[in-house]
């Protein structure tokens, strides 16, 4: 369960809690070098064979067509996103996820908790022409296929030739960059990429006879490459057949080509869908397109305040969440910063959405949808969720809180709130019978 900003998260814990999270805060060419410059390049990566649950992404220099020394530090995968600082290096770079990592395969309904084990490396190869800035990098089964098609010599030119060969048989629209397009649900090409990867997973499922993905992804990609070598049109037709099964509502297949147009629904968004895993105490990740769709609805409830008596409504609140991860509050579009998914042991499927500067809301899929959280100004919002009173009224209470030393705080206590300086969260001050207790509830 996530560590939340709202006072409700503190009060429902059944005791006094201090929440404090640490850590706030291509082209051509074949050989690379560490340039004599202070500029530093960040590889902003997304790994997708289905969202990754564990593993590391590592970047290596490429020299004379071969994998060389490690660049920077390997980055842990959680929710598929990673960032690697490669300093001032320029030239070809191989990004690799080693076998043994786990991912939530989109065609496998039984691996959302433990994941499917990656049975071989997943790689991509890019060229960094100049140091500085951030470069989007995708690491997927299709980029691994291109690296394998390139053969024994690793360089940007041979990998690009392999990508061109691969794109010729993929049933997708022009503009998809297998290495540079981020496979997310919030952009047209990103969603098309995700749908293509979903279809590929379904092909593997069929090839395995629906039985534990016989041979694993590594073995299946070898089969796929064999098909490309003998009859690439078969691969394209097979993918088209799988695309039609479970196709996202924002996508369509016309004249043998997949295209997607993201619907922004009630507001906000654009850019890549990410999950800030550092803000949560339990394992969370970026949701799949299907998981997002399950939360795409209109949520009705109230704004108000959380205090020792529970939630007191002061006005109506309507949230609209789209299948692209966009959010609006009472008709106003919000800037979504992070969307995380958890199949919570107590509450079932949940999304944790961070928006604006300090806004945060939990979305519950059960019972037709519910929510609780706070607006960027720290006003509470609540509707059809645990801790929200029926009908949106006040009261309900949470009972007394036990305090070490034999004292307790009752619903008669005075509660006040103040924001943390220069960071999300708030300071909660509770006073009763001359005793003051300060709770620190923040994310950073």
């Amino acid at each position: 369960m996530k560590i939340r900003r709202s006072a409700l998260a503190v009060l429902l814990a059944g005791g006094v809690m201090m929440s404090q999270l640490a850590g706030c805060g291509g082209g051509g060419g074949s050989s690379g070098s560490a340039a004599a410059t202070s500029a530093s390049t960040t590889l902003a990566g997304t790994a997708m064979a289905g969202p990754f649950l564990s593993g590391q992404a590592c970047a290596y220099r490429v020299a004379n067509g071969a994998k060389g020394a490690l660049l920077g530090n390997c980055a842990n995968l959680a929710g598929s996103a990673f960032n690697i600082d490669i300093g001032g290096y320029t030239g070809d770079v191989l990004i690799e996820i080693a076998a043994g990592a786990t991912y939530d395969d989109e065609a496998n309904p039984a691996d959302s908790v433990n994941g499917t084990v990656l049975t071989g490396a997943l790689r991509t190869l890019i060229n960094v022409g100049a140091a500085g800035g951030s470069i989007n990098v995708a690491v997927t089964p299709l980029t691994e296929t291109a690296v394998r098609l390139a053969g024994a010599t690793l360089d940007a030119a041979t990998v690009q030739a392999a990508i061109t060969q691969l794109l010729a048989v993929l049933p997708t629209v022009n503009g998809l960059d297998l290495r540079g397009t981020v496979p997310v649900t919030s952009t047209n090409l990103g969603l098309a990429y995700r749908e293509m990867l979903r279809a590929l997973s379904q092909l593997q499922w069929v090839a395995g006879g629906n039985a534990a993905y016989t041979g694993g992804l590594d073995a299946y990609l070898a089969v796929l490459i064999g098909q490309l070598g003998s009859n690439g049109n078969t691969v394209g037709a097979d993918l088209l057949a799988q695309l039609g099964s479970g196709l996202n509502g924002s996508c369509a297949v016309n004249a043998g080509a997949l295209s997607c147009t993201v619907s922004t629904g009630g507001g906000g968004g654009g850019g890549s869908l990410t999950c800030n895993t550092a803000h949560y105490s339990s394992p969370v990740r970026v949701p799949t397109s299907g998981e997002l769709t399950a939360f795409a609805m209109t949520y009705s409830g109230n704004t108000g305040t959380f205090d020792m008596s529970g939630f007191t409504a002061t006005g109506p609140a309507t949230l609209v969440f789209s299948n692209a991860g966009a959010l609006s509050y009472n008709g106003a579009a919000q800037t979504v910063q992070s969307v995380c998914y958890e199949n919570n042991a107590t509450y079932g499927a949940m999304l944790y959405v961070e928006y604006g500067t300090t806004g945060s809301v939990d979305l519950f899929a059960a019972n037709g949808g519910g929510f609780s959280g706070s607006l960027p100004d720290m006003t509470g919002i609540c509707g059809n969720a645990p801790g929200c009173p029926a009908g949106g009224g006040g009261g309900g209470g949470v009972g007394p809180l036990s305090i070490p030393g034999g004292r307790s705080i009752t619903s008669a206590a005075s509660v006040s709130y103040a924001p943390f300086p220069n960071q999300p969260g708030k300071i909660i001050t509770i006073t009763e019978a001359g005793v003051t207790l300060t709770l620190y509830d923040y994310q950073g």
Side-chain angles (χ1 to χ4, degrees), residues 154-225:
L154 291 175
D155 61 50
T158 55
V159 171
Q160 182 56 53
I163 287 175
T164 300
Q165 176 188 355
L166 188 54
L167 285 173
V169 301
L170 294 180
T172 190
V173 296
N174 293 331
L176 178 63
D177 181 345
L178 295 183
R179 294 178 289 181
T181 297
V182 182
V184 294
T185 60
S186 54
T187 67
N188 296 347
L189 287 175
L191 180 55
Y193 202 165
R194 284 286 294 266
E195 289 296 283
M196 198 65 63
L197 293 171
R198 175 188 57 79
L200 187 64
S201 290
Q202 291 174 190
L203 273 183
Q204 184 190 340
W205 179 275
V206 171
N210 292 353
Y213 288 67
T214 302
L217 179 60
D218 180 63
Y220 181 68
L221 291 183
V223 172
L224 182 69
I225 290 171

Side-chain angles (χ1 to χ4, degrees), residues 211-374:
Y213 288 67
T214 302
L217 179 60
D218 180 63
Y220 181 68
L221 291 183
V223 172
L224 182 69
I225 290 171
Q227 290 177 307
L228 287 169
S230 59
N231 187 352
N233 292 329
T234 299
V235 173
D238 290 345
L239 282 170
L240 269 176
Q242 295 302 325
L243 280 170
S245 176
L247 186 65
N248 187 287
S250 296
C251 301
V253 177
N254 297 305
L258 167 72
S259 63
C260 299
T261 302
V262 171
S263 171
T264 58
S272 303
L273 192 66
T274 61
C275 168
N276 191 338
T277 59
H279 284 183
Y280 304 92
S281 58
S282 57
V284 294
R285 55 172 173 77
V286 173
T288 67
S289 58
E291 289 162 349
L292 270 182
T293 299
F295 289 87
M297 65 182 87
T298 298
Y299 299 79
S300 297
N302 291 279
T303 60
T305 59
F306 290 109
D307 56 27
M308 294 299 296
S309 299
F311 179 78
T312 301
T314 58
T318 299
L319 302 180
V320 179
F321 189 76
S322 81
N323 61 4
L327 179 73
S328 72
Y329 163 70
N330 284 353
Q334 306 298 311
T335 302
V336 174
Q337 308 290 354
S338 171
V339 179
C340 297
Y341 173 86
E342 179 188 8
N343 190 7
N344 185 269
T346 301
Y347 302 113
M350 295 182 65
L351 284 187
Y352 306 134
V353 183
E354 298 176 26
Y355 59 99
T357 54
T358 58
S360 175
V361 64
D362 297 354
L363 300 181
F364 299 79
N367 303 320
F371 66 93
S372 67
S374 61

Side-chain angles (χ1 to χ4, degrees), residues 119-142:
T119 52
L122 213 59
R123 300 168 294 174
T124 194
L125 188 145
I126 65 168
N127 181 268
V128 178
S134 179
I135 300 176
N136 286 336
V137 179
V139 186
T140 73
L142 292 177

